[in-house]
Amino acid sequence: MKRFAALAIAVGVCTSLSANTAQPKDDHPVVMTVSGAVSGVIDSATQVRSFKGLPFAAPPVGELRWRPPAPAERWSGVRDGSKFGASCMQQVHGDFLPWTKEFLVKGEVSENCLYLNVWTPPAKENANLPVIVYIPGGGFVEGSGSTAIYDGTNLASTGVVVVTINYRLGPFGFLAHPELTAESPHHSSGNYALLDQIAALQWVKENIGGFGGDPHKVTIWGQSAGAFSVGDLLVSPQARGLFQAAVADSGLGVAGFPSLDLPSAEKNGVKFAEAHHASSIKELRAIPAQKLLAGAQDHTLLFFPIVDGWVMPEAPNALNQGAGGNDVPVITGNQANDGMLFSPTIRSSEDFDRFVDRMYRAMGNEFERLYPGGSFEQMHRSLIESARDRERVSAFLWAEQRLQHHRGPVYTYFFDQAVPWPQHPEFGAFHSGELPYFFRNLNVMDRPWEPVDREVSQTTSAYLKNFAGSGNPNGPGLPEWSAVNPALPETMEMGAKMQPMPLADKAKYDFWVRYFHSPAGRNAPPF
């Protein structure tokens, strides 16, 4: 968890209503929401309408810090929806490879950040178009719905309504504390970020019809921390009925993401308060947000979703094995080089052997027979190949468990199309590199795109649109993508080749199945 957070980090109340409203113009469409009217902007090339910076909850400041999101205040007049709202509190930094500026948060950060953005093709009210709600990643410490790579214009032009959201991050989104638990009618604290996501989905249910969307045809889609969030929402009783399909890029597998229980998370919260010389939650709420953010850089106190007994009654994968939660179709998959996030730095054969002993224990000798050491190049290749096999098998086993108690199909994929990058070919299909393809946003990045890249983008975004519309990604002219069949261990390769592929050869597949059912499997990273 510490390594994931470190990599992810390396990845005020509203002003007066008069300052936040505008009079509609002929070329600015206006939509009425439950909180008031909002004007948007029309993209001249696609005619897609965008409505940005829409509050789905009250600013979580002052006494609302570390409380479930409260309803947004109503406004009079027409709110200007031409600009994004502030991103949630986080460290804003420059490029750090492989993540360039297109993947990173820019602009203002603030506690007043519970905003979402809507892109919709030309459509009448209640046109009942499919809706895709995107939950951004960033290790639960950074991220925003306004990031450039998430612009919904081109995806919306295919005939769907696209929504991107913000949610509280770091200590603002996940602080648990005995006092917070005591003041909660649900005897729970932490998981405020998940509650923000649920509030955004409730807003969509109440308002999306005015933007041409179907409130009964909502797909949640997240990547990395957003994918872990999707896994949580799939099983949370508080999210039941708010979406009808789910997509998780880089995040769902039988290994799962480590979840603290409430008492352990409360102990971390007490340490966090002590570190800020606060003897009560009242004193902690009075500390400026920027000071709390700076203090959160102590990685001995990590803030992630927890088993709080209310939003998350049990660990997500334990719940996934039962019949509860949301029984909906699911897509999940991984990038070919996702495993680089958790692969150690190997400088010698001794480093490689130590890693194998720590990760695979009694199964270490068998691992090295399948993925041998030797030269530096061979060790590096073994780390990459083993991570890819592990991720594919992990996602398949997650789907197998889910299908035992759920009727909704599961589709898995393995994305191996690398963003072209002549200066840095070593990154390959890096973590989050699929997003410009799915969003149809290749032109957002200045890269030497080739025809195959545009073909991949058109195909993957078509799969996404079809899935949002029917719960099945297949459609005319697309390579057939079969749902997971527990008797057939394969996945869908996405890249220059769009076709089924085996999870691993038989000996390696058998190894990973036994690994995940062994005590050593509890050491496995989430992807």
Side-chain angles (χ1 to χ4, degrees):
M1 292 174 65
K2 292 181 180 180
R3 179 170 173 83
F4 178 68
L7 284 164
I9 291 173
V11 185
V13 184
C14 286
T15 55
S16 66
L17 288 177
S18 61
N20 206 25
T21 59
Q23 293 301 313
K25 300 178 182 179
D26 292 341
D27 58 346
H28 285 60
V30 175
V31 172
M32 179 62 68
T33 73
V34 294
S35 298
V38 59
S39 67
V41 176
I42 300 176
D43 177 69
S44 59
T46 63
Q47 296 301 298
V48 165
R49 284 96 164 119
S50 63
F51 302 82
K52 300 172 182 175
L54 308 187
F56 63 84
V61 300
E63 286 300 307
L64 294 183
R65 182 189 281 177
W66 300 312
R67 293 186 189 274
E73 293 186 2
R74 294 178 177 271
W75 62 81
S76 59
V78 180
R79 183 184 180 92
D80 180 8
S82 64
K83 298 179 180 179
F84 292 114
S87 300
C88 291
M89 291 300 299
Q90 60 192 283
Q91 296 292 337
V92 178
H93 47 75
D95 296 3
F96 58 107
L97 301 184
W99 299 286
T100 51
K101 62 182 181 180
E102 300 87 356
F103 294 88
L104 302 176
V105 172
K106 305 294 180 186
E108 180 187 5
V109 298
S110 169
E111 272 195 281
N112 175 13
C113 64
L114 297 186
Y115 299 102
L116 55 75
N117 316 291
V118 181
W119 289 263
T120 181
K124 295 180 180 179
E125 183 176 352
N126 300 319
N128 292 331
L129 297 174
V131 181
I132 297 174
V133 179
Y134 184 74
I135 304 171
F140 294 114
V141 295
E142 64 179 78
S144 171
S146 62
T147 302
I149 207 69
Y150 308 151
D151 185 284
T153 303
N154 294 322
L155 183 57
S157 71
T158 67
V160 296
V161 177
V162 177
V163 180
T164 65
I165 70 172
N166 293 347
Y167 55 91
R168 283 173 279 183
L169 301 163
F172 304 96
F174 296 103
L175 181 77
H177 191 282
E179 281 189 48
L180 292 174
T181 302
E183 73 181 26
S184 165
H186 307 287
H187 310 291
S188 164
S189 61
N191 287 341
Y192 303 107
L194 296 179
L195 290 168
D196 293 343
Q197 295 167 14
I198 291 168
L201 291 172
Q202 290 169 333
W203 185 96
V204 168
K205 185 174 182 178
E206 294 173 351
N207 292 283
I208 208 65
F211 297 87
D214 186 344
H216 305 293
K217 197 173 286 185
V218 175
T219 294
I220 56 173
W221 172 28
Q223 185 268 344
S224 195
F228 296 136
S229 298
V230 167
D232 294 341
L233 297 176
L234 275 170
V235 296
S236 173
Q238 306 310 317
R240 189 172 294 139
L242 293 177
F243 56 93
Q244 289 69 48
V247 180
D249 294 351
S250 302
L252 297 187
V254 72
F257 188 77
S259 298
L260 294 177
D261 58 21
L262 181 58
S264 298
E266 287 177 337
K267 289 179 182 178
N268 278 350
V270 170
K271 292 178 182 178
F272 184 77
E274 291 173 347
H276 288 84
H277 309 290
S279 61
S280 68
I281 286 297
K282 181 178 180 180
E283 292 182 9
L284 203 58
R285 282 180 170 139
I287 295 175
Q290 193 63 45
K291 187 174 181 180
L292 291 178
L293 179 65
Q297 302 311 302
D298 177 2
H299 291 166
T300 63
L301 299 173
L302 301 179
F303 299 97
F304 298 111
I306 66 171
V307 179
D308 66 335
W310 176 45
V311 181
M312 293 301 304
E314 296 180 60
N317 272 0
L319 291 170
N320 185 62
Q321 297 178 50
N326 288 275
D327 190 353
V328 301
V330 178
I331 288 176
T332 189
N334 286 90
Q335 286 282 102
N337 283 354
D338 271 344
M340 291 179 68
L341 283 179
F342 295 98
S343 294
T345 300
I346 299 295
R347 297 186 175 89
S348 67
S349 58
E350 289 77 15
D351 287 344
F352 185 79
D353 290 340
R354 280 192 292 269
F355 163 73
V356 172
D357 289 343
R358 184 178 70 253
M359 181 72 75
Y360 300 105
R361 300 183 182 179
M363 301 179 71
N365 288 336
E366 184 179 1
F367 174 88
E368 289 205 57
R369 286 196 299 271
L370 297 169
Y371 305 98
S375 67
F376 177 82
E377 291 75 14
Q378 179 60 56
M379 291 186 293
H380 181 67
R381 185 161 58 250
S382 288
L383 288 178
I384 292 176
E385 291 178 357
S386 64
R388 291 172 178 175
D389 292 348
R390 183 187 68 232
E391 292 159 9
R392 290 191 292 259
V393 174
S394 180
F396 179 80
L397 294 177
W398 180 92
E400 184 179 53
Q401 290 181 350
R402 182 170 181 81
L403 292 171
Q404 292 178 12
H405 296 285
H406 296 84
R407 293 175 295 177
V410 180
Y411 299 84
T412 67
Y413 69 85
F414 182 72
F415 194 99
D416 58 11
Q417 183 69 18
V419 172
W421 203 350
Q423 297 86 352
H424 290 284
E426 70 274 17
F427 292 124
F430 64 88
H431 184 67
S432 67
E434 80 280 19
L435 294 174
Y437 293 91
F438 279 98
F439 270 103
R440 289 196 168 205
N441 278 345
L442 302 188
N443 290 340
V444 171
M445 303 174 68
D446 182 16
R447 298 294 175 86
W449 303 107
E450 299 180 359
V452 65
D453 293 297
R454 303 198 182 279
E455 292 172 9
V456 171
S457 181
Q458 291 171 3
T459 300
T460 54
S461 60
Y463 280 140
L464 182 59
K465 176 198 173 184
N466 293 343
F467 186 72
S470 67
N472 185 332
N474 293 291
L478 296 176
E480 182 68 19
W481 184 0
S482 298
V484 168
N485 176 355
L488 187 60
E490 65 180 24
T491 189
M492 185 68 171
E493 182 178 10
M494 288 189 176
K497 297 178 181 178
M498 292 277 183
Q499 62 188 18
M501 67 176 294
L503 304 179
D505 68 38
K506 187 179 187 309
K508 293 176 179 178
Y509 171 75
D510 290 344
F511 170 84
W512 290 113
V513 171
R514 285 184 285 109
Y515 170 75
F516 283 121
H517 286 90
S518 76
R522 289 193 284 271
N523 295 325
F527 49 80

